[in-house]
Amino acid sequence: MTHAQMTIDPHFVTGRIQRRLFGGFVEHLGRHIYDGIYEPGHETADAEGFRQDVIELVRELGVSTIRYPGGNFVSGFRWEDSVGPRDQRPRRLDLAWHSTETNEVGLHEFSSWLDKVGSDLMLAVNLGTRGTLEALDLLEYTNIRGGTALSERRRANGRDEPFAVDMWCLGNEMDGPWQLGHRSADDYGKLAAQTAQGMRQIDPDLKLVVCGSSGAQMPTFGEWERVVLTHTYDDVDYISCHAYYEEKDGDIDSFLASGVDMDRFIESVVATADHVGAVRGSTKRIDISFDEWNVWYIDRYHGVDKATGIDNWPVAPRILEDSYSVLDAVVFGSLMISLLKHADRVTSASLAQLVNVIAPIMTEPGGPAWRQTTFYPFSITSRLAQGEALELKLDAPTYHTGRFGEVPLVDAVATHDSQTGRSAVFLVNRSVSESITVTVDAAGLDDVSILETHTLTDVDIHARNTLENRERVAPASNDSVSLADGVLTITLPPVSWSAVSLG
Ligand code: AHR
């Protein structure tokens, strides 16, 4: 049996955990909206056509802010299409996903759904095929109480009160050649600064996110952040990070180490942002909005399910419907650990995405909704990670990975809420063959006992939940956990994610 050890001390604070860290992302993409959250004919549909079985699962998942309406979709989106009488809304080509957008669900309907699931709206503006003026128009429509053309239009459309959206993304992945209207860092930086300044003239308190690279693998990564922030440093609050991980060429060891890559990505962006701040002599700090992260088998999308052809623009096609295994969920849990370890600078994050599309929740038209394996690390972490993230003094054996070098077999983070006195530890065992017993010095926590234990693992690491077998995989309590004389002990099975709550 391999061993690891760590210390939890509530004085070793990394940063306060913002609820926005447990955000989600809903894009008009595939069956996310249509046949996902919205299916008027479904037996659980409410008066507005929203599936209540999905609403219940989204509530259980515990997502805070939800980024909307894209993603790549937003770069061809005309927001005006999505408001006003439904029967007059145009059907449009969605070039990003080669499909047809009916606009049956738009801003008002989505906001109403958010009220039902208990989440807040984070909007992205189109800086791909549109610009500053349209962004300002949308902000006037959503946030101005009344007395102007667009605010009165909102009221005429049935929404008297402003939507009061306080967090905005200035475009999406503007460095990516696949993005409609993508541009150089210099050109995007200028456009983003101009747009941000205009939006702040309407409301100086808005929280604004400028696009970072669409991934650390982009050839412009690093330099993109430097140039964009040089233009926008004084006008924005966040720079975005996006990262997707997948098992490549059967290299499970490297896949399990994805969190290490996420750690390095975050630390590189923080260093670049701080460099720009230092050059400017600024005391301001730019935070990270990690507004797209997940496991995504991206090659399958390009290889198989994307529609093509001038006469073929399906409505709500089945695309990006990844089915997640136990292995995927363990990696997913480790990505959440990485986000929490950087809670001082990652103060907002959005799981991409929520329903059907690379999602923790799946639905079948006219059929059930169910939890994928990845649902569990998210819902449990969102519920238990409260207060402040703590730095752990972790001492674990390492293993060699082809993609990320020497990596600790165990990764972990702890949280502590001084208001409730509750703490939680989240751990992952990356070994494919060995159980690891972890000894945690918890003497710094006052007189606590074990409240909950959860471990997600399976003898078949490729097991998954499917339409036919919807509850094949779920976490179970971990009977190995003990706490005596201030020492917590837990055995982590191979390829597992665990959470322990103390209080
Ligand atoms: O989440 C799927 C897509 O991934 C998003 O639309 C885009 O921003 C990213 O490339």
Side-chain angles (χ1 to χ4, degrees), residues 39-73:
E39 191 186 338
H42 194 268
E43 61 178 5
T44 72
D46 64 13
E48 292 179 86
F50 291 118
R51 284 182 64 149
Q52 295 183 78
D53 55 349
V54 175
I55 289 171
E56 274 167 34
L57 285 175
V58 174
R59 292 184 76 94
E60 181 186 328
L61 188 65
V63 272
S64 53
T65 309
I66 295 184
R67 180 171 176 249
Y68 176 83
N72 296 340
F73 170 81

Side-chain angles (χ1 to χ4, degrees), residues 375-432:
F375 184 98
Y376 296 104
F378 192 99
S379 62
I380 294 170
T381 307
S382 172
R383 185 167 57 80
L384 297 183
Q386 305 281 346
E388 290 168 324
L390 303 180
E391 189 187 338
L392 291 171
K393 300 295 175 193
L394 173 63
D395 183 9
T398 60
Y399 72 116
H400 184 74
T401 67
R403 282 164 63 198
F404 308 120
E406 211 56 29
V407 166
L409 278 169
V410 172
D411 201 7
V413 70
T415 62
H416 177 72
D417 186 348
S418 53
Q419 304 276 307
T420 61
R422 292 194 171 190
S423 302
V425 199
F426 305 91
L427 313 98
V428 63
N429 177 0
R430 295 175 169 135
S431 170
V432 292

Side-chain angles (χ1 to χ4, degrees), residues 175-477:
D175 62 326
W178 59 87
Q179 198 73 212
L180 270 177
H182 78 95
R183 55 199 80 201
S184 69
D186 207 37
D187 288 347
Y188 169 66
K190 287 178 192 160
L191 174 61
Q194 173 182 293
T195 306
Q197 287 161 16
M199 292 176 79
R200 286 247 163 95
Q201 283 180 31
I202 294 177
D203 181 353
D205 295 328
L206 296 177
K207 302 263 178 292
L208 300 179
V209 187
V210 74
C211 292
S213 298
S214 46
Q217 76 289 350
M218 296 299 287
T220 49
F221 174 60
E223 184 62 359
W224 172 275
E225 279 74 5
R226 188 191 67 76
V227 173
V228 165
L229 281 175
T230 298
H231 286 292
T232 59
Y233 202 88
D234 296 332
D235 304 311
V236 302
D237 305 282
Y238 300 87
I239 185 156
S240 69
C241 285
H242 291 182
Y244 294 99
Y245 295 94
E246 63 185 308
E247 182 195 329
K248 287 187 177 153
D249 307 321
D251 183 358
I252 293 178
D253 283 343
S254 294
F255 181 44
L256 281 161
S258 300
V260 170
D261 186 67
M262 194 185 223
D263 290 343
R264 290 176 189 163
F265 182 18
I266 292 168
E267 286 153 24
S268 302
V269 174
V270 166
T272 308
D274 289 351
H275 164 77
V276 177
V279 169
R280 300 170 72 83
S282 175
T283 53
K284 177 179 173 178
R285 201 186 69 166
I286 298 286
D287 282 348
I288 289 178
S289 168
F290 214 119
D291 47 41
E292 288 188 33
W293 68 269
N294 203 347
V295 171
W296 177 12
Y297 288 85
I298 193 165
D299 292 344
R300 286 183 206 158
Y301 165 67
H302 292 297
V304 181
D305 46 2
K306 188 174 185 181
T308 52
I310 188 80
D311 295 323
N312 182 26
W313 299 87
V315 174
R318 283 184 188 259
I319 53 176
L320 280 70
E321 299 204 1
D322 285 14
S323 167
Y324 291 117
S325 66
V326 170
L327 170 65
D328 296 326
V330 170
V331 171
F332 181 103
S334 75
L335 300 179
M336 296 202 81
I337 289 173
S338 174
L339 293 173
L340 280 168
K341 284 197 301 190
H342 297 90
D344 56 333
R345 297 302 289 267
V346 183
T347 53
S348 177
S350 311
L351 165 61
Q353 300 197 13
L354 211 54
V355 180
N356 288 332
V357 172
I358 47 173
I361 298 168
M362 296 301 290
T363 71
E364 192 56 26
W370 67 97
R371 300 167 189 81
Q372 293 234 51
T373 55
T374 52
F375 184 98
Y376 296 104
F378 192 99
S379 62
I380 294 170
T381 307
S382 172
R383 185 167 57 80
L384 297 183
Q386 305 281 346
E388 290 168 324
L390 303 180
E391 189 187 338
L392 291 171
K393 300 295 175 193
L394 173 63
D395 183 9
T398 60
Y399 72 116
H400 184 74
T401 67
R403 282 164 63 198
F404 308 120
E406 211 56 29
V407 166
L409 278 169
V410 172
D411 201 7
V413 70
T415 62
H416 177 72
D417 186 348
S418 53
Q419 304 276 307
T420 61
R422 292 194 171 190
S423 302
V425 199
F426 305 91
L427 313 98
V428 63
N429 177 0
R430 295 175 169 135
S431 170
V432 292
S433 55
E434 303 243 0
S435 289
I436 301 181
T437 294
V438 184
T439 309
V440 185
D441 177 348
L445 302 174
D446 289 339
D447 195 22
V448 288
S449 53
I450 298 161
L451 300 177
E452 294 177 37
T453 68
H454 307 272
T455 290
L456 187 70
T457 190
D458 202 284
V459 284
D460 176 7
I461 61 170
H462 300 294
R464 54 196 77 220
N465 295 337
T466 60
L467 172 61
E468 295 74 28
N469 197 353
R470 298 191 292 279
E471 294 178 8
R472 165 69 182 79
V473 178
S477 63

